[in-house]
């Protein structure tokens, strides 16, 4: 399960993102210096955008995903490559401030516009890392450089259920992401504890805006395509519950003039 809380800015609202999923995979040692793997799974997600007075929009998503990954060692360096993609269905509910709405006497001046639509995405990535042992202390330093591209295509839709339904054209979201990171880790008993610090840069590569029609008027609405960067700090604890089972807790925070956010993760993995 992943929970991410993102603070809004002049063009976006505060957001809370929750994701819960399950995945199965198979990995094998292709050669002495190469590992390969495949995986597939199911993901349920929720995004809530909050204004100063109400939950402005709520989106529930369900989908499937699959991917391939691998890494190869060259001396003390490890090159990792991955490719993942998926499809999801989305159900959206948007708050509408309607002075004439009574909703059967339950509320006054409030209605909801609803819509359903599909989307798909693909994400290739590459990383380069090395492990540096600090002698008898048991601490391992791991500097890593990583690049990733994410593309999501969102289908168009028309809302129903309110007096101010919107029609939204299909659009694409694209992000180039790169980060440099230094992690320190140590195994204590059944737990591997780690802390990390890094710098993240994101550059938009998708559509700048999307046409939206409401009350007979069409406008192009920006979709938050600005570039951003931030320093981040994170920590994790990986517990070896059994020879084939582990439980991971992970947290990370971002801070800069461009973005502020917190992210948490809990994962149970069973190998068989």
């Amino acid at each position: 399960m992943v929970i991410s809380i993102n603070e809004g800015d002049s063009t976006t609202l505060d957001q809370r993102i929750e994701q819960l999923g399950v995945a199965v995979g198979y990995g094998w040692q292709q050669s002495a210096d190469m590992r390969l793997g495949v995986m597939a799974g199911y993901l349920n997600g929720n995004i809530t955008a909050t204004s100063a007075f109400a939950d402005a929009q709520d989106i529930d998503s369900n989908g499937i995903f699959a991917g391939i990954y691998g890494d190869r060692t060259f001396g003390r360096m490890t090159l990792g490559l991955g490719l993942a993609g998926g499809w999801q269905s989305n159900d959206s509910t948007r708050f509408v401030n309607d002075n004439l709405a009574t909703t059967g006497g339950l509320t006054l001046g409030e209605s909801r516009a609803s819509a359903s639509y599909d989307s798909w995405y693909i994400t290739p990535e590459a990383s380069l890392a090395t492990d540096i042992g600090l002698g008898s202390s048991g601490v391992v330093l791991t500097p890593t450089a990583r690049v990733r591209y994410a593309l999501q295509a969102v289908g168009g839709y028309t809302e129903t259920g309110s007096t101010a339904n919107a029609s939204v054209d299909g659009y694409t979201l694209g992000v180039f992401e790169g980060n440099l990171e230094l992690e320190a880790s140590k195994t204590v008993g059944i737990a591997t504890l780690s802390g990390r610090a890094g710098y993240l840069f994101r550059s938009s590569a998708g559509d700048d805006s999307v046409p939206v029609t409401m009350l007979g008027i069409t406008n192009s609405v920006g979709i938050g395509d600005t570039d951003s960067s931030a320093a981040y700090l994170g920590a994790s604890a990986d517990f070896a519950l059994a020879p084939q089972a582990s439980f991971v807790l992970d947290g990370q925070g971002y801070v800069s003039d461009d973005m502020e956010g917190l992210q948490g993760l809990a994962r149970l993995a069973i190998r068989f």
Side-chain angles (χ1 to χ4, degrees):
M1 181 175 184
V2 177
I3 299 176
S4 179
I5 301 173
N6 302 298
E7 186 174 289
D9 55 25
S10 59
T11 59
T12 60
L13 299 175
D14 293 346
Q15 294 182 7
R16 179 184 175 92
I17 303 171
E18 298 181 6
Q19 293 180 320
L20 177 65
V22 59
V24 295
Y26 177 73
W28 66 95
Q29 197 75 32
Q30 179 70 17
S31 62
D33 56 3
M34 180 184 294
R35 296 182 302 171
L36 297 174
V38 295
M39 60 88 179
Y42 162 81
L43 183 66
N44 171 263
N46 173 264
I47 300 176
T48 301
T50 305
S51 70
F53 307 102
D55 287 345
Q57 190 164 24
D58 190 277
I59 302 174
D60 289 313
S61 302
N62 292 277
I64 55 175
F65 61 89
I68 57 175
Y69 58 91
D71 59 65
R72 182 169 182 177
T73 302
F74 301 89
R76 298 182 59 179
M77 304 296 296
T78 299
L79 174 65
L81 297 173
L83 177 65
W87 169 91
Q88 63 186 30
S89 62
N90 309 280
D91 295 313
S92 169
T93 302
R94 183 175 59 86
F95 172 83
V96 177
N97 188 1
D98 181 356
N99 293 335
L100 300 179
T102 61
T103 60
L106 298 177
T107 61
L108 180 64
E110 176 183 326
S111 65
R112 303 280 174 175
S114 302
S116 296
Y117 56 95
D118 296 336
S119 59
W120 61 266
Y121 58 92
I122 187 169
T123 306
E125 65 177 273
S127 63
L128 190 63
T130 185
D131 290 334
I132 304 171
L134 299 184
S136 60
S137 67
V139 176
V140 177
L141 292 180
T142 306
T144 303
R146 183 180 296 109
V147 293
R148 178 185 294 119
Y149 174 67
L151 171 66
Q152 182 178 24
V154 182
Y157 60 89
T158 297
E159 295 175 328
T160 59
S162 82
T163 58
N165 296 318
S167 293
V168 182
D169 286 6
Y171 60 95
T172 61
L173 298 170
V175 177
F176 283 104
E177 180 179 284
N179 70 291
L180 297 173
E181 178 181 287
L182 179 63
E183 181 182 62
S185 60
K186 182 176 181 176
T187 299
V188 180
I190 66 169
T192 298
L193 307 177
S194 66
R196 60 188 178 275
Y199 186 80
L200 172 72
F201 174 78
R202 290 175 177 163
S203 178
S204 176
D207 290 335
D208 296 333
S209 61
V210 55
V212 177
T213 301
M214 183 184 297
L215 302 176
I217 301 172
T218 300
N219 287 308
S220 291
V221 178
I223 53 179
D225 61 327
T226 57
D227 297 341
S228 59
S229 61
Y232 63 87
L233 293 173
S236 67
D238 188 338
F239 300 93
L241 304 179
Q244 301 297 323
S246 64
F247 178 67
V248 177
L249 293 173
D250 189 283
Q252 190 157 289
Y254 302 87
V255 60
S256 74
D257 293 337
D258 298 323
M259 70 169 81
E260 293 182 0
L262 295 173
Q263 181 174 298
L265 177 148
R267 181 179 69 236
L268 176 64
I270 300 175
R271 296 176 293 276
F272 55 87

